[in-house]
Amino acid sequence: MTPDLFRSTPFFLLLGAVAAGLLLGACTPSSDATDAPPIAADSVLPASVADTATFAGGCFWCMEPPYDKIDGVAATISGFSGGTTEDPSYRQVASGMTDHTEVVQVIYDSTKVDYERLLRVYWHNVDPFDGTGQFCDRGSQYRPAIFVHDDRQRELAEQTKATVAAQFSESIAVEVQPLSAFYAAEQYHQDYYQKNPQEYKRYRQGCQRDARLQEIWGEAAGGDAALARR
């Protein structure tokens, strides 16, 4: 290429378009994987101790790791909630036309970990001010939300939201809403960070997710520290 081409406006516009395209497809596998039956969400814990929580925090790949490392969490399942289309595919949700958002469903042993702790982990892993997406992933399919399964979860979620709101001057965009349905994503999305660690790491760094979490939450970023009160 000639120096004149590097200085030309169209060239830089092209670079910008390419970069934007990479970001828009950030939470998408680099190649089309063949769909496989979704993993089963039941039978991972005895019914007497099993409980379930559902959180939307942008790309579901990034919401599995914070919960998988918690003692008492039996499974995390990437999927979709919040829309009306029954059993949508990833491509349908990614188009932004189904009203679903990407979520992670957490199945946990209620005798080992409580819902309040899961909420603390949630807040410290999202940008609570951005209701139009999360980090580099834009669109309603990446909007943040806490999907509650019962009245107790709703009460606790609203309490933590109020605590977070008191900590900042900006409005909190995270919605608390009842879970109407959950649909597991295709198998190739499950445990993506474990099956494709290098690609996942590149995506997470390129999305600057951790940098933004650090900016908002400081030392509490990514963890389950108590929510600060003022």
Side-chain angles (χ1 to χ4, degrees):
M1 289 186 182
T2 65
D4 288 340
L5 180 58
F6 279 100
R7 288 197 294 266
S8 66
T9 300
F11 177 75
F12 285 108
L13 288 176
L14 176 61
L15 283 181
V18 171
L22 290 173
L23 289 180
L24 287 174
C27 196
T28 304
S30 58
S31 60
D32 289 333
T34 302
D35 290 355
I39 60 176
D42 56 0
S43 302
V44 296
L45 281 173
S48 59
V49 300
D51 210 341
T52 306
T54 305
F55 304 108
C59 179
F60 44 28
W61 299 344
C62 294
M63 292 302 291
E64 287 188 4
Y67 290 109
D68 280 340
K69 65 184 180 182
I70 295 177
D71 182 34
V73 169
T76 55
I77 306 168
S78 287
F80 318 109
S81 292
T84 56
T85 301
E86 292 187 7
D87 197 20
S89 68
Y90 175 80
R91 288 187 176 278
Q92 288 177 303
V93 174
S95 73
M97 302 300 290
T98 70
D99 293 331
H100 289 88
T101 186
E102 292 193 8
V103 301
V104 62
Q105 191 155 89
V106 182
I107 301 174
Y108 63 101
D109 185 334
S110 59
T111 66
K112 294 183 178 180
V113 59
D114 55 33
Y115 186 65
E116 293 95 324
R117 184 180 181 189
L118 301 183
L119 285 168
R120 295 196 301 270
V121 172
Y122 173 75
W123 288 110
H124 291 138
N125 279 277
V126 300
D127 180 343
F129 315 120
D130 190 353
T132 61
Q134 286 287 284
F135 312 99
C136 68
D137 292 313
R138 313 313 307 159
S140 62
Q141 65 270 38
Y142 298 111
R143 69 189 183 276
I146 300 172
F147 290 94
V148 295
H149 292 238
D150 53 39
D151 290 341
R152 177 179 177 275
Q153 286 192 1
R154 173 180 288 280
E155 180 180 358
L156 292 171
E158 293 286 8
Q159 286 177 1
T160 58
K161 181 176 178 178
T163 299
V164 172
Q167 188 176 348
F168 301 99
S169 59
E170 298 177 68
S171 297
I172 304 303
V174 175
E175 296 182 354
V176 176
Q177 57 189 86
L179 178 75
S180 57
F182 168 79
Y183 302 102
E186 293 86 345
Q187 183 63 33
Y188 63 85
H189 284 292
Q190 309 302 332
D191 300 318
Y192 190 86
Y193 74 101
Q194 294 177 329
K195 294 184 289 189
N196 302 277
Q198 295 305 316
E199 185 172 338
Y200 170 75
K201 183 178 180 180
R202 285 194 297 270
Y203 155 68
R204 189 174 182 111
Q205 290 179 341
C207 209
Q208 297 187 318
R209 188 178 183 111
D210 294 313
R212 177 58 176 158
L213 290 176
Q214 183 72 26
E215 180 182 354
I216 297 169
W217 299 106
E219 293 183 359
D224 63 347
L227 295 170
R229 295 177 182 272
R230 288 186 178 178

